[in-house]
Amino acid sequence: MADLAKNLEQLEGVNWGEPDRETDTNLVIKCHDLRRRPIEAMTDEDLRVLIGQSIGLDYLIPVALRRLEADPFSSGDLYPGALLVAVLAASKDWWLTNPEAEVRALQVLYRVEDLRDSIDSEIVPAGDKWRALFEET
């Protein structure tokens, strides 16, 4: 396991230098800045952004999976589950070289699918029934 007190620049041994704050996009500037943030200080949104750009996957996907195992709907600043979507979008080559992470991601995905089944078969019908009680009055 990587030392999560370190940042991606330290772990990868690569310094991208300073972004050009006049010409680079906000996303490029943000990625440069996030590479200097200790991994343990990264938010779900930070992870979503970097993983979505295929940056630091070897270090960040295991951290993201730990968070997703606790809450599959971790979102960052977007919609519930946005972090999982970013993780699942990692390249096939990355997953093929990280089979333990693949198993963990599948377990998270199965949890989400089980929840979807419960929502469809139990929660939505119960909600429909409950709403109907108030429509009768």
Side-chain angles (χ1 to χ4, degrees):
M1 159 108 44
D3 180 354
L4 301 182
K6 293 184 177 183
N7 62 40
L8 288 174
E9 285 189 353
Q10 293 167 320
L11 293 168
E12 294 177 343
V14 177
N15 182 330
W16 285 4
E18 290 299 318
D20 184 334
R21 296 191 184 271
E22 292 183 20
T23 60
D24 285 339
T25 65
N26 288 336
L27 178 60
V28 169
I29 292 168
K30 183 172 189 158
C31 290
H32 274 260
D33 292 343
L34 289 175
R35 284 183 48 79
R36 295 186 178 113
R37 181 172 297 168
I39 292 174
E40 66 188 5
M42 288 188 183
T43 65
D44 291 348
E45 176 65 6
D46 298 337
L47 293 173
R48 183 195 67 77
V49 168
L50 290 171
I51 292 169
Q53 296 301 308
S54 298
I55 296 170
L57 299 183
D58 291 336
Y59 301 103
L60 302 181
I61 287 182
V63 172
L65 286 172
R66 196 169 345 162
R67 294 183 188 184
L68 291 166
E69 288 162 346
D71 177 8
F73 295 102
S74 296
S75 61
D77 293 345
L78 294 178
Y79 51 88
L83 181 57
L84 178 57
V85 170
V87 166
L88 295 176
S91 73
K92 181 179 179 180
D93 289 340
W94 189 88
W95 290 109
L96 290 174
T97 59
N98 293 277
E100 290 175 15
E102 180 185 3
V103 169
R104 292 174 66 197
L106 275 171
Q107 290 170 341
V108 171
L109 189 56
Y110 290 150
R111 282 185 56 209
V112 171
E113 290 170 345
D114 287 347
L115 287 170
R116 181 187 62 199
D117 292 344
S118 295
I119 289 168
D120 291 344
S121 67
E122 302 295 332
I123 297 171
V124 169
D128 291 344
K129 193 179 216 181
W130 181 78
R131 270 193 227 102
L133 291 173
F134 296 96
E135 291 171 359
E136 293 174 0
T137 58

PDB file of all heavy atoms in Angstrom, residues 20-36:
ATOM      1  N   ASP A  20       0.245  26.602 -16.963  1.00  0.00           N
ATOM      2  CA  ASP A  20       0.165  27.962 -17.480  1.00  0.00           C
ATOM      3  C   ASP A  20      -1.230  28.473 -17.128  1.00  0.00           C
ATOM      4  O   ASP A  20      -2.212  28.123 -17.777  1.00  0.00           O
ATOM      5  CB  ASP A  20       0.394  27.984 -18.992  1.00  0.00           C
ATOM      6  CG  ASP A  20       0.426  29.397 -19.547  1.00  0.00           C
ATOM      7  OD1 ASP A  20      -0.189  30.306 -18.925  1.00  0.00           O
ATOM      8  OD2 ASP A  20       1.062  29.601 -20.583  1.00  0.00           O
ATOM      9  N   ARG A  21      -1.316  29.268 -16.095  1.00  0.00           N
ATOM     10  CA  ARG A  21      -2.605  29.709 -15.567  1.00  0.00           C
ATOM     11  C   ARG A  21      -3.315  30.692 -16.506  1.00  0.00           C
ATOM     12  O   ARG A  21      -4.476  31.020 -16.283  1.00  0.00           O
ATOM     13  CB  ARG A  21      -2.444  30.273 -14.168  1.00  0.00           C
ATOM     14  CG  ARG A  21      -1.970  29.179 -13.199  1.00  0.00           C
ATOM     15  CD  ARG A  21      -2.024  29.558 -11.758  1.00  0.00           C
ATOM     16  NE  ARG A  21      -1.480  28.496 -10.929  1.00  0.00           N
ATOM     17  CZ  ARG A  21      -2.182  27.478 -10.428  1.00  0.00           C
ATOM     18  NH1 ARG A  21      -3.454  27.378 -10.691  1.00  0.00           N
ATOM     19  NH2 ARG A  21      -1.596  26.565  -9.686  1.00  0.00           N
ATOM     20  N   GLU A  22      -2.641  31.128 -17.546  1.00  0.00           N
ATOM     21  CA  GLU A  22      -3.287  32.019 -18.511  1.00  0.00           C
ATOM     22  C   GLU A  22      -3.881  31.260 -19.684  1.00  0.00           C
ATOM     23  O   GLU A  22      -4.879  31.677 -20.244  1.00  0.00           O
ATOM     24  CB  GLU A  22      -2.292  33.059 -19.008  1.00  0.00           C
ATOM     25  CG  GLU A  22      -1.893  34.051 -17.930  1.00  0.00           C
ATOM     26  CD  GLU A  22      -0.956  35.125 -18.448  1.00  0.00           C
ATOM     27  OE1 GLU A  22      -0.902  35.332 -19.682  1.00  0.00           O
ATOM     28  OE2 GLU A  22      -0.279  35.747 -17.619  1.00  0.00           O
ATOM     29  N   THR A  23      -3.272  30.131 -20.061  1.00  0.00           N
ATOM     30  CA  THR A  23      -3.740  29.434 -21.270  1.00  0.00           C
ATOM     31  C   THR A  23      -4.314  28.042 -20.996  1.00  0.00           C
ATOM     32  O   THR A  23      -5.112  27.557 -21.785  1.00  0.00           O
ATOM     33  CB  THR A  23      -2.602  29.302 -22.308  1.00  0.00           C
ATOM     34  OG1 THR A  23      -1.533  28.549 -21.723  1.00  0.00           O
ATOM     35  CG2 THR A  23      -2.100  30.669 -22.740  1.00  0.00           C
ATOM     36  N   ASP A  24      -3.907  27.401 -19.904  1.00  0.00           N
ATOM     37  CA  ASP A  24      -4.422  26.057 -19.616  1.00  0.00           C
ATOM     38  C   ASP A  24      -5.872  26.132 -19.148  1.00  0.00           C
ATOM     39  O   ASP A  24      -6.295  27.125 -18.544  1.00  0.00           O
ATOM     40  CB  ASP A  24      -3.574  25.367 -18.531  1.00  0.00           C
ATOM     41  CG  ASP A  24      -2.241  24.877 -19.058  1.00  0.00           C
ATOM     42  OD1 ASP A  24      -2.107  24.697 -20.282  1.00  0.00           O
ATOM     43  OD2 ASP A  24      -1.320  24.681 -18.246  1.00  0.00           O
ATOM     44  N   THR A  25      -6.610  25.081 -19.400  1.00  0.00           N
ATOM     45  CA  THR A  25      -8.003  25.023 -18.959  1.00  0.00           C
ATOM     46  C   THR A  25      -8.061  24.869 -17.440  1.00  0.00           C
ATOM     47  O   THR A  25      -7.075  24.479 -16.801  1.00  0.00           O
ATOM     48  CB  THR A  25      -8.742  23.834 -19.588  1.00  0.00           C
ATOM     49  OG1 THR A  25      -8.153  22.611 -19.097  1.00  0.00           O
ATOM     50  CG2 THR A  25      -8.679  23.873 -21.114  1.00  0.00           C
ATOM     51  N   ASN A  26      -9.218  25.160 -16.870  1.00  0.00           N
ATOM     52  CA  ASN A  26      -9.403  24.982 -15.431  1.00  0.00           C
ATOM     53  C   ASN A  26      -9.146  23.541 -15.021  1.00  0.00           C
ATOM     54  O   ASN A  26      -8.593  23.285 -13.950  1.00  0.00           O
ATOM     55  CB  ASN A  26     -10.807  25.410 -15.012  1.00  0.00           C
ATOM     56  CG  ASN A  26     -10.993  26.907 -15.064  1.00  0.00           C
ATOM     57  OD1 ASN A  26     -10.033  27.665 -14.983  1.00  0.00           O
ATOM     58  ND2 ASN A  26     -12.225  27.340 -15.219  1.00  0.00           N
ATOM     59  N   LEU A  27      -9.543  22.594 -15.870  1.00  0.00           N
ATOM     60  CA  LEU A  27      -9.329  21.187 -15.561  1.00  0.00           C
ATOM     61  C   LEU A  27      -7.840  20.857 -15.496  1.00  0.00           C
ATOM     62  O   LEU A  27      -7.386  20.165 -14.575  1.00  0.00           O
ATOM     63  CB  LEU A  27     -10.035  20.291 -16.585  1.00  0.00           C
ATOM     64  CG  LEU A  27      -9.861  18.787 -16.400  1.00  0.00           C
ATOM     65  CD1 LEU A  27     -10.393  18.333 -15.039  1.00  0.00           C
ATOM     66  CD2 LEU A  27     -10.559  18.047 -17.536  1.00  0.00           C
ATOM     67  N   VAL A  28      -7.071  21.342 -16.441  1.00  0.00           N
ATOM     68  CA  VAL A  28      -5.624  21.094 -16.451  1.00  0.00           C
ATOM     69  C   VAL A  28      -4.983  21.704 -15.204  1.00  0.00           C
ATOM     70  O   VAL A  28      -4.173  21.054 -14.531  1.00  0.00           O
ATOM     71  CB  VAL A  28      -4.977  21.652 -17.742  1.00  0.00           C
ATOM     72  CG1 VAL A  28      -3.457  21.643 -17.648  1.00  0.00           C
ATOM     73  CG2 VAL A  28      -5.445  20.847 -18.953  1.00  0.00           C
ATOM     74  N   ILE A  29      -5.367  22.917 -14.883  1.00  0.00           N
ATOM     75  CA  ILE A  29      -4.817  23.576 -13.689  1.00  0.00           C
ATOM     76  C   ILE A  29      -5.192  22.787 -12.441  1.00  0.00           C
ATOM     77  O   ILE A  29      -4.351  22.548 -11.565  1.00  0.00           O
ATOM     78  CB  ILE A  29      -5.318  25.035 -13.606  1.00  0.00           C
ATOM     79  CG1 ILE A  29      -4.709  25.848 -14.745  1.00  0.00           C
ATOM     80  CG2 ILE A  29      -4.977  25.654 -12.246  1.00  0.00           C
ATOM     81  CD1 ILE A  29      -5.340  27.219 -14.958  1.00  0.00           C
ATOM     82  N   LYS A  30      -6.445  22.350 -12.355  1.00  0.00           N
ATOM     83  CA  LYS A  30      -6.892  21.583 -11.190  1.00  0.00           C
ATOM     84  C   LYS A  30      -6.106  20.279 -11.062  1.00  0.00           C
ATOM     85  O   LYS A  30      -5.675  19.906  -9.961  1.00  0.00           O
ATOM     86  CB  LYS A  30      -8.388  21.289 -11.289  1.00  0.00           C
ATOM     87  CG  LYS A  30      -8.931  20.572 -10.080  1.00  0.00           C
ATOM     88  CD  LYS A  30     -10.438  20.466 -10.125  1.00  0.00           C
ATOM     89  CE  LYS A  30     -10.915  19.931  -8.794  1.00  0.00           C
ATOM     90  NZ  LYS A  30     -12.305  20.261  -8.554  1.00  0.00           N
ATOM     91  N   CYS A  31      -5.893  19.584 -12.154  1.00  0.00           N
ATOM     92  CA  CYS A  31      -5.139  18.321 -12.114  1.00  0.00           C
ATOM     93  C   CYS A  31      -3.701  18.558 -11.655  1.00  0.00           C
ATOM     94  O   CYS A  31      -3.172  17.770 -10.862  1.00  0.00           O
ATOM     95  CB  CYS A  31      -5.186  17.623 -13.469  1.00  0.00           C
ATOM     96  SG  CYS A  31      -6.815  16.943 -13.883  1.00  0.00           S
ATOM     97  N   HIS A  32      -3.083  19.612 -12.142  1.00  0.00           N
ATOM     98  CA  HIS A  32      -1.724  19.955 -11.687  1.00  0.00           C
ATOM     99  C   HIS A  32      -1.722  20.177 -10.180  1.00  0.00           C
ATOM    100  O   HIS A  32      -0.857  19.657  -9.473  1.00  0.00           O
ATOM    101  CB  HIS A  32      -1.224  21.226 -12.389  1.00  0.00           C
ATOM    102  CG  HIS A  32      -0.575  20.988 -13.702  1.00  0.00           C
ATOM    103  ND1 HIS A  32       0.786  20.963 -13.861  1.00  0.00           N
ATOM    104  CD2 HIS A  32      -1.101  20.775 -14.929  1.00  0.00           C
ATOM    105  CE1 HIS A  32       1.078  20.746 -15.134  1.00  0.00           C
ATOM    106  NE2 HIS A  32      -0.055  20.629 -15.797  1.00  0.00           N
ATOM    107  N   ASP A  33      -2.693  20.970  -9.715  1.00  0.00           N
ATOM    108  CA  ASP A  33      -2.767  21.275  -8.285  1.00  0.00           C
ATOM    109  C   ASP A  33      -3.033  20.013  -7.463  1.00  0.00           C
ATOM    110  O   ASP A  33      -2.427  19.814  -6.408  1.00  0.00           O
ATOM    111  CB  ASP A  33      -3.848  22.319  -8.016  1.00  0.00           C
ATOM    112  CG  ASP A  33      -3.492  23.695  -8.590  1.00  0.00           C
ATOM    113  OD1 ASP A  33      -2.306  23.931  -8.907  1.00  0.00           O
ATOM    114  OD2 ASP A  33      -4.426  24.520  -8.720  1.00  0.00           O
ATOM    115  N   LEU A  34      -3.937  19.150  -7.932  1.00  0.00           N
ATOM    116  CA  LEU A  34      -4.287  17.944  -7.181  1.00  0.00           C
ATOM    117  C   LEU A  34      -3.126  16.966  -7.092  1.00  0.00           C
ATOM    118  O   LEU A  34      -3.018  16.219  -6.121  1.00  0.00           O
ATOM    119  CB  LEU A  34      -5.509  17.263  -7.796  1.00  0.00           C
ATOM    120  CG  LEU A  34      -6.835  17.993  -7.601  1.00  0.00           C
ATOM    121  CD1 LEU A  34      -7.948  17.284  -8.366  1.00  0.00           C
ATOM    122  CD2 LEU A  34      -7.178  18.119  -6.129  1.00  0.00           C
ATOM    123  N   ARG A  35      -2.259  16.956  -8.086  1.00  0.00           N
ATOM    124  CA  ARG A  35      -1.102  16.055  -8.038  1.00  0.00           C
ATOM    125  C   ARG A  35      -0.169  16.400  -6.876  1.00  0.00           C
ATOM    126  O   ARG A  35       0.629  15.585  -6.473  1.00  0.00           O
ATOM    127  CB  ARG A  35      -0.328  16.093  -9.357  1.00  0.00           C
ATOM    128  CG  ARG A  35      -1.019  15.336 -10.466  1.00  0.00           C
ATOM    129  CD  ARG A  35      -0.207  15.312 -11.751  1.00  0.00           C
ATOM    130  NE  ARG A  35       1.185  14.946 -11.567  1.00  0.00           N
ATOM    131  CZ  ARG A  35       1.652  13.713 -11.404  1.00  0.00           C
ATOM    132  NH1 ARG A  35       0.817  12.700 -11.361  1.00  0.00           N
ATOM    133  NH2 ARG A  35       2.950  13.493 -11.274  1.00  0.00           N
ATOM    134  N   ARG A  36      -0.307  17.613  -6.345  1.00  0.00           N
ATOM    135  CA  ARG A  36       0.543  18.047  -5.224  1.00  0.00           C
ATOM    136  C   ARG A  36      -0.152  17.882  -3.864  1.00  0.00           C
ATOM    137  O   ARG A  36       0.452  18.147  -2.835  1.00  0.00           O
ATOM    138  CB  ARG A  36       0.939  19.503  -5.417  1.00  0.00           C
ATOM    139  CG  ARG A  36       1.821  19.686  -6.639  1.00  0.00           C
ATOM    140  CD  ARG A  36       2.323  21.117  -6.744  1.00  0.00           C
ATOM    141  NE  ARG A  36       3.195  21.231  -7.897  1.00  0.00           N
ATOM    142  CZ  ARG A  36       2.903  21.951  -8.979  1.00  0.00           C
ATOM    143  NH1 ARG A  36       1.798  22.644  -9.038  1.00  0.00           N
ATOM    144  NH2 ARG A  36       3.747  21.995  -9.986  1.00  0.00           N
TER     145      ARG A  36
END
